[in-house]
Amino acid sequence: MSFQCSHEVEQMCCVAKGACHRSAPIPEEGKWVKAKEIKDISGLTHCVGWCAPQQGTCKLTLNVKEGVIQEALVETIGCSGMTHSAAMASEILPGKTILEALNSDLVCDAINVAMRELFKQIVYGRTQTAFSENGLPIGAGLEDLGKGLRSQVGTMYSTLQKGPRYLEMAEGYVLQIGLDANGEIIGYKFVHLGKMMEAIRKGMEPGEAYTSNIKTYGRFDEAVKTIDPRKE
């Protein structure tokens, strides 16, 4: 293959290149791989991305086998429009090589940034499966989700004047927070929405599904006062 050279380069004589410094091996699914092409890249990893105004973020999980995205988990928070972008991105990503995905419009800047950061991690061998023989099976991305396949979400609100309010924890949607005699939070009551919806889908009456999935955490039973964190 010939390329156009400048006049200065054309006038130069040839000097043999003695050194042959090959690329360093990277860990991939329990193997050391000297990657030359996109098909040499495999692994499962995660990354987060953000949009320019930083009003929302995306956590992207990809399971890549021989350079091709086999599985994608797109989780977003903080922006209502981003959920629709994630829906489109979930259709766009599988089947693309990671290079194609890097150069695809994934609709939302936060998802594009997550893809950029994930690309850098995976081509350097910084993956969750770097030292796992044969990596993880397709479907492993779902393990990041809780019961009922809902994202792990933490939502807290606090003011200097009125203090903290727990709104949603990994366990579920917070119904009440319990306070001790000093007014400090010592526990909370929550409903596990994922389990509740699973029960309803299996035929349980909604009211029963709701009450049967209400639990408490911490020393809630010892609280001298309980409040609704969304109203009180």
Side-chain angles (χ1 to χ4, degrees), residues 173-203:
Y173 179 97
V174 178
L175 301 170
Q176 292 180 314
I177 54 178
L179 309 179
D180 65 9
N182 296 322
E184 297 179 6
I185 298 173
I186 58 171
Y188 49 88
K189 179 188 288 187
F190 64 91
V191 56
H192 197 304
L193 294 180
K195 290 181 178 180
M196 184 186 82
M197 291 307 300
E198 274 190 347
I200 292 171
R201 288 171 58 217
K202 290 177 181 177

Side-chain angles (χ1 to χ4, degrees), residues 175 191 193 196 200 204-214:
L175 301 170
V191 56
L193 294 180
M196 184 186 82
I200 292 171
M204 185 180 287
E205 192 276 325
E208 182 184 355
Y210 171 75
T211 56
S212 64
N213 283 291
I214 292 177

Side-chain angles (χ1 to χ4, degrees), residues 9-31:
V9 171
E10 289 284 2
Q11 301 304 307
M12 293 178 182
C13 64
C14 289
V15 176
K17 177 183 157 187
C20 182
H21 190 69
R22 299 183 184 278
S23 58
I26 60 174
E28 290 185 21
E29 300 191 336
K31 301 186 295 288

Side-chain angles (χ1 to χ4, degrees), residues 44-131:
L44 182 145
T45 194
H46 325 267
C47 258
V48 295
W50 54 93
C51 57
Q54 298 191 37
Q55 65 185 30
T57 190
C58 166
K59 177 197 166 197
L60 180 63
T61 303
L62 296 183
N63 197 350
V64 177
K65 303 290 187 184
E66 297 180 353
V68 178
I69 297 168
Q70 302 292 332
E71 175 186 17
L73 173 63
V74 189
E75 300 174 88
T76 64
I77 192 168
C79 173
S80 57
M82 198 189 298
T83 60
H84 296 76
S85 301
M88 289 182 272
S90 71
E91 296 188 35
I92 293 168
L93 285 165
K96 286 188 179 292
T97 69
I98 55 171
L99 184 59
E100 287 178 305
L102 181 67
N103 288 285
S104 294
D105 180 7
L106 301 176
V107 188
C108 165
D109 274 352
I111 305 174
N112 286 322
V113 170
M115 183 63 227
R116 181 193 74 201
E117 297 302 307
L118 187 149
F119 182 89
K120 290 191 292 185
Q121 279 196 185
I122 201 168
V123 297
Y124 282 126
R126 275 70 166 178
T127 66
Q128 182 177 321
T129 55
F131 299 103

